[in-house]
Amino acid sequence: MGLALQEAQAAFDEDEVPIGAVVVGPPGEGDLQPVLLGTGRNATRRACDVSAHAEVLAIRAAAAKLGYQRLEGCTLYTTIEPCFMCAGALLHARLKRVVFGAPDPKFGGTVSLGRLFDTVGLNHRVLQEGGVRADEARELMQTFFRAKRESKK
């Protein structure tokens, strides 16, 4: 989660909504540590692309590194609960697990506004864990949006 928070800070510094994500694969043969496959941070403003969310960019980077669109056995760490779009991408990519920091009461698609991963009839299940370093992730978001509101005054 530390790397995801670093990505979120980089997004903040670039005047993007501060969300960061990383994809790790299981340890390789003889390795003890998971393998970093991809990173991402929100880039919707810079890229003029509503789909340039941290999770989607991390998935794209991991798939490019592996040369395959399925990320079976991999875990995505993200600073904020995935939105519906990102949750759908996680399902399509066949990630094993998602670990997120703070819930997102306005756009969260996995526990807050909806529970996409629990939809009956899906052909894949994604395990999830929330609340990991949530205070840090939440504080970064609150600081960003507080500054945005203040600049409009």
Side-chain angles (χ1 to χ4, degrees), residues 19-67:
I19 299 174
V22 298
V23 174
V24 297
E29 189 174 319
D31 293 331
L32 299 176
Q33 296 296 319
V35 177
L36 179 63
L37 297 174
T39 65
R41 60 180 170 259
N42 271 14
T44 58
R45 294 174 184 191
R46 185 179 65 242
C48 296
D49 179 357
V50 297
S51 70
H53 286 201
E55 299 91 337
V56 170
L57 298 176
I59 289 168
R60 288 177 184 166
K65 185 169 188 171
L66 292 175

Side-chain angles (χ1 to χ4, degrees), residues 2-151:
L3 290 174
L5 285 162
Q6 288 175 20
E7 289 293 323
Q9 182 63 56
F12 182 100
D13 295 344
E14 295 169 355
D15 197 34
E16 296 279 354
V17 174
I19 299 174
V22 298
V23 174
V24 297
E29 189 174 319
D31 293 331
L32 299 176
Q33 296 296 319
V35 177
L36 179 63
L37 297 174
T39 65
R41 60 180 170 259
N42 271 14
T44 58
R45 294 174 184 191
R46 185 179 65 242
C48 296
D49 179 357
V50 297
S51 70
H53 286 201
E55 299 91 337
V56 170
L57 298 176
I59 289 168
R60 288 177 184 166
K65 185 169 188 171
L66 292 175
Y68 187 61
Q69 77 274 19
R70 302 284 191 236
L71 302 176
E72 295 156 338
C74 295
T75 298
L76 181 131
Y77 293 86
T78 183
T79 56
I80 301 295
E81 174 189 356
C83 70
F84 287 92
M85 176 184 69
C86 292
L90 296 166
L91 284 163
H92 282 291
R94 305 290 194 269
L95 273 101
K96 178 178 182 176
R97 182 171 167 242
V98 174
V99 177
F100 67 87
D104 185 352
K106 293 187 178 183
F107 291 101
T110 66
V111 296
S112 295
L113 288 182
R115 301 185 77 79
L116 190 59
F117 295 159
D118 297 333
T119 302
V120 174
L122 291 175
N123 64 348
H124 179 71
R125 294 282 176 220
V126 176
L127 303 172
Q128 70 178 328
E129 176 184 351
V132 177
R133 297 181 72 174
D135 291 341
E136 294 168 79
R138 184 180 305 106
E139 179 61 31
L140 197 54
M141 291 285 279
Q142 289 173 342
T143 301
F144 179 82
F145 286 110
R146 187 178 308 118
K148 290 293 176 196
R149 286 190 301 276
E150 289 296 320
S151 71

